[in-house]
Amino acid sequence: MTTDDVAIVGIGMHPFGRHEGVSGMDMGVAAVRSACADAGVQWEDIQFAFGGSASAGAPDTMVSKLGLTGLQFINVVNGCATGGSALFSAYNSIKSGMFDLGIAIGFDKHDRGAFRVNTKASGLSDWYGESGMALTTQFFGMKINRYMHEHGITEDSLARVSEKAFRNGSKNENAWRRRPLSMEEVKQSAMLSYPLTQYMFCSPGEGGVALILARADQAHKYTDTPVFLKAAVVRSRRFGSFEVMAPHIALEHNAGPTVDASAAAFEMAGMGPDDMDIAQLQDTESGAEIMHMAENGFCEHGEQEHMLAMGDTEITGRLPVNTDGGCLANGEPIGASGLRQVYENVLQLRGDAGERQVPNDPKTAYTHVYGAPGISGVTILAK
Amino acid sequence: MATDSATKQVPVSEGVFTWPSDEPRLLGSKCTDCGNVMFPTQSGCPKCSGQSTETIELGRTGTLWTWTVQGYPPKSPPYAGNADPKTFEAFGVGYVELPGEVKVETRLTVNDPEQLNIGMEMELTLVPLYTNDDGEEVMTFAFAPIN
């Protein structure tokens, strides 16, 4: 297989945040229309769709608004990697030679507050949730607490990541939280799950994203600035990893699905972490961004403390991370979240990211999602 | 402790811990093929894909592997304890490593970060979670620091 098989030729987004009176599905429809306009195609030109939503309805029903063209439309539900899985499926549908032009769609609309976990649907017993466990926030608090203990990461680094996220978000017209916050404000906000405060956590939210994919050799028909999908990988957990919603963890240690997905993606792309100009990393909370920097191979465990203090992950830094404000500033509509990261990378590689544009003409970009029940998705883009 | 109390106590679920018992133990599973230990009980082994497990009583003591404090009321349902924002009391949650067995996720009897340290010795106890419609006190498990 050559590496330039699939190109992203159109991108569309419905702003993230809270949108009273707008359904999740309608945000998906808006994103699709915007992506079609960006690629200069009509909905009837789209040969197939993969649509992902965890809480806002069956994506394939959106054809009643977009047009009943008879296309192959497959719904994807895959935990926090729902959007990434839709993209992976679309990528392979073109790479296999089956189709020339298709779309990956993700949207969602969640209730306010922390995710309400359906323990039965997660393969867990009722007593687990009844007893006050089964909260994703607890997992992240416990994972970063252990990580800080082992690798010398401090509260300052946690606050620094949030400060960066909201500063980047303030430069993103599609972001939810656009007010910059100081490190002190982040530290002083309510302690939700020690050591993580309110402004160190992202919130479940709303939004929609659509990405139009084409055979790379036909990309010029749709755009002057194609961005090529070099790798798309989804991995689940292995024995011994420490994951969200786990009543027990084995004594033996496994590094987890992010490490596996990252290594597989780099191999698929024929590139390494040093080749990446930008990275969008899952920041469910600020500690997650820190841990995921190392799990994705961008540094050694513990190096983040120094990197953050030096501004290495700022938009102007050596490896800009979460240039659009990440989950922290955009919130997390599960179906759309992974696709938002790819949308941001396409903007950055096109040079269209405006006030938050990464300087020096970035050529490669990385995305990573992580979530329940222990699943990671990675993509690598290049122009 | 169950039979002697003035208020009748019942476990949050059958088969999670020994009941009634003055020295409660969590009930786990052990793979009969590879010896892997799991909690709670389950059929099928995630380590070797073996299909045969036996129920075992897990150790009562271990060390705190990591922890957090649940600082806001969990959504109810699924949470069955007090989720009223006005009277909610933060509670500790952690993983306790049971030597040679497994790390179990558990409530902690302590909610003060100053009193929780990775590596501290812990032992199993039972704590009241809520009072059910029959006036019975529903008990769940927690680990407490060993003084």
Side-chain angles (χ1 to χ4, degrees):
Chain A
M1 240 357 134
T2 61
T3 49
D4 285 348
D5 299 314
V6 181
I8 297 175
V9 298
I11 59 175
M13 174 180 283
H14 183 284
F16 280 36
R18 287 285 174 203
H19 305 282
E20 203 70 36
V22 185
S23 72
M25 187 84 71
D26 281 345
M27 294 183 217
V29 168
V32 170
R33 288 178 177 149
S34 154
C36 286
D38 184 51
V41 301
Q42 302 298 313
W43 172 246
E44 65 189 26
D45 300 326
I46 304 289
Q47 298 166 351
F48 72 89
F50 286 90
S53 167
S55 307
D60 64 326
T61 59
M62 64 166 51
V63 294
S64 64
K65 288 186 174 169
L66 288 167
L68 301 170
T69 63
L71 86 167
Q72 171 184 302
F73 198 125
I74 295 177
N75 294 336
V76 179
V77 179
N78 201 15
C80 292
T82 290
S85 299
L87 181 60
F88 170 83
S89 305
Y91 169 73
N92 281 301
S93 296
I94 290 176
K95 191 164 175 160
S96 70
M98 188 79 79
F99 292 107
D100 301 330
L101 187 72
I103 192 164
I105 308 161
F107 58 86
D108 247 316
K109 189 178 181 93
H110 303 295
D111 293 342
R112 285 169 200 280
F115 286 112
R116 187 192 302 271
V117 172
N118 181 336
T119 41
K120 275 223 166 55
S122 303
L124 299 161
S125 308
D126 286 341
W127 64 261
Y128 183 63
E130 289 171 4
S131 294
M133 294 178 276
L135 281 94
T136 55
T137 42
Q138 291 172 353
F139 163 76
F140 286 106
M142 289 191 282
K143 188 176 177 193
I144 190 63
N145 199 15
R146 177 82 194 177
Y147 195 87
M148 291 165 82
H149 175 78
E150 285 184 353
H151 300 293
I153 301 296
T154 67
E155 185 196 16
D156 272 358
S157 285
L158 299 180
R160 229 182 276 282
V161 167
S162 292
E163 184 195 34
K164 169 175 70 68
F166 295 118
R167 187 167 53 248
N168 291 353
S170 74
K171 299 173 183 168
N172 176 2
E173 66 284 359
N174 284 324
W176 179 7
R177 303 193 186 282
R178 304 196 54 202
R179 185 171 74 85
L181 291 172
S182 69
M183 280 175 65
E184 209 47 41
E185 282 176 289
V186 172
K187 285 186 194 176
Q188 294 307 319
S189 61
M191 184 63 78
L192 297 188
S193 193
Y194 182 94
L196 300 168
T197 65
Q198 181 180 353
Y199 294 136
M200 294 176 188
F201 271 110
C202 85
S203 302
E206 307 174 8
V209 181
L211 306 171
I212 296 178
L213 279 63
R215 273 175 52 166
D217 60 1
Q218 296 180 5
H220 64 277
K221 290 189 349 197
Y222 308 106
T223 178
D224 296 330
T225 53
V227 168
F228 301 100
L229 197 45
K230 297 283 192 179
V233 172
V234 175
R235 286 289 184 275
S236 64
R237 63 202 185 280
R238 287 204 272 182
F239 183 71
S241 64
F242 176 20
E243 310 298 342
V244 64
M245 303 290 149
H248 81 259
I249 316 170
L251 295 186
E252 70 181 66
H253 174 73
N254 175 273
T258 292
V259 172
D260 287 344
S262 177
F266 281 127
E267 187 181 344
M268 189 183 284
M271 298 181 188
D274 291 344
D275 299 319
M276 296 296 107
D277 294 334
I278 305 170
Q280 317 294 340
L281 305 178
Q282 178 78 30
D283 57 335
T284 317
E285 41 81 29
S286 53
E289 177 175 314
I290 293 171
M291 295 183 284
H292 291 148
M293 285 166 65
E295 290 183 13
N296 285 288
F298 294 111
C299 63
E300 296 297 320
H301 293 295
E303 276 183 356
Q304 302 97 322
E305 185 78 10
H306 180 68
M307 288 175 72
L308 287 162
M310 297 302 289
D312 285 356
T313 56
E314 298 285 342
I315 285 170
T316 51
R318 169 164 75 83
L319 177 72
V321 172
N322 292 334
T323 49
D324 65 350
C327 290
L328 287 169
N330 288 281
E332 190 179 17
I334 288 178
S337 202
L339 300 184
R340 167 187 57 74
Q341 297 176 323
V342 177
Y343 176 99
E344 170 68 5
N345 278 349
V346 172
L347 272 190
Q348 291 283 354
L349 296 182
R350 285 178 177 180
D352 288 343
E355 215 188 331
R356 64 181 190 282
Q357 177 65 46
V358 170
N360 303 319
D361 190 23
K363 294 184 172 53
T364 54
Y366 184 97
T367 71
H368 159 259
V369 289
Y370 169 82
I375 188 163
S376 288
V378 169
T379 74
I380 294 173
L381 304 185
K383 67 178 179 185
Chain B
M1 64 172 65
T3 46
D4 295 340
S5 307
T7 307
K8 188 182 179 198
Q9 296 178 331
V10 293
V12 66
S13 175
E14 294 290 336
V16 180
F17 42 81
T18 53
W19 180 273
S21 170
D22 289 335
E23 290 211 331
R25 285 173 178 264
L26 296 176
L27 296 171
S29 290
K30 186 171 190 172
C31 175
T32 56
D33 293 328
C34 74
N36 179 46
V37 176
M38 299 147 261
F39 172 76
T41 57
Q42 66 175 65
S43 59
C45 175
K47 184 176 185 183
C48 74
S49 302
Q51 297 176 33
S52 170
T53 61
E54 59 182 2
T55 300
I56 59 166
E57 293 185 7
L58 300 176
R60 294 195 62 244
T61 60
T63 53
L64 189 59
W65 187 73
T66 189
W67 58 272
T68 185
V69 176
Q70 178 62 35
Y72 64 95
K75 279 186 176 168
S76 177
Y79 187 49
N82 176 19
D84 180 348
K86 294 193 189 87
T87 53
F88 172 76
E89 267 191 86
F91 57 89
V93 174
Y95 281 90
V96 171
E97 180 167 348
L98 306 176
E101 293 181 333
V102 69
K103 298 188 277 269
V104 296
E105 189 178 8
T106 177
R107 283 178 76 115
L108 305 173
T109 58
V110 172
N111 66 4
D112 177 4
E114 297 295 320
Q115 293 179 42
L116 290 166
N117 293 298
I118 288 172
M120 68 194 291
E121 299 289 322
M122 311 289 287
E123 75 177 330
L124 187 68
T125 184
L126 298 180
V127 293
L129 184 61
Y130 68 102
T131 303
N132 68 18
D133 293 342
D134 297 330
E136 298 164 328
E137 200 167 41
V138 178
M139 307 294 287
T140 192
F141 65 94
F143 274 79
I146 298 175
N147 293 319

